[in-house]
Every structure is written in structure tokens, then in C-alpha cells.
Amino acid sequence: MRYMLFFFFYGWHIVVFGVGALGINNGGVAGWITAFKTMEDNKALGVLGIIVSLAWCANCLIAVYLIMQIHKTYRSTGQSMEKASGEFAASAGSNRNVAQAVLRSL
């Protein structure tokens, strides 16, 4: 179950790193789009934005490499994502708090 949750949350971190590298306008992150738009008004700030964008890209690439290495280690122990999914479903179904939350949401 721990590996399943780890892969889920770390996958979301990779998505956030990718969005940060992209730098959507008014998103609060200095990414590629923001850096090039800023370059039109202020060259120094645009260069700083490009440096930040490179850092976001490096962070994303390192995270992808690390999750691939962790997945390779996980698979080498004889585990599989199917087993982890089944284990997660079994433990979540037997957890009283989870069952009550599901019943309340219905």
C-alpha cells in the first residue's frame, strides 16, 4: 500500500514540476511562457525567468529518473502494481474510517 500511495503522490509532484516548467500566465510560477513574455518588457528579469525555467526542467527530469529507478527496485522485489492495487483496495476497504467516509459521501 505504501508504494501505491508513493507512486500516486510522487506522480502528482512530477505533474506540478512540469506545470512549473511551463509557467502558465498568472500561475504564480516563472516558467518558459512567463520568462519569454517578461523578456519583452525587462531583459534581466526574462533571463532570470529562463534560469528558473531551466531549474524547473532539471527538477522534473530528475524526478522522472528517480521514479523510474524506484519502480525498477520495486519490480525487482517481485512486486507488481496489480498486487499493490489489490492490497490498497483491501486495506482501504477494511479501514473503518474510510468506510464511514464513503458512506457519508453517498
Side-chain angles (χ1 to χ4, degrees), residues 14-56:
I14 292 172
V15 169
V16 169
F17 296 153
V19 169
L22 193 58
I24 299 169
N25 283 337
N26 299 325
V29 185
W32 291 109
I33 296 171
T34 309
F36 286 118
K37 284 200 181 260
T38 305
M39 188 74 81
E40 297 169 1
D41 299 331
N42 188 339
K43 298 278 187 218
L45 200 55
V47 169
L48 183 62
I50 290 173
I51 292 170
V52 171
S53 301
L54 289 170
W56 275 107

Side-chain angles (χ1 to χ4, degrees), residues 66-102:
L66 288 175
I67 202 166
M68 288 172 59
Q69 293 299 315
I70 292 166
H71 186 261
K72 185 169 72 172
T73 302
Y74 176 73
R75 294 295 293 219
S76 70
T77 61
Q79 299 294 324
S80 69
M81 293 305 279
E82 291 80 24
K83 287 181 186 178
S85 296
E87 180 184 325
F88 179 74
S91 66
S94 65
N95 188 331
R96 193 181 99 228
N97 293 330
V98 173
Q100 287 177 350
V102 168

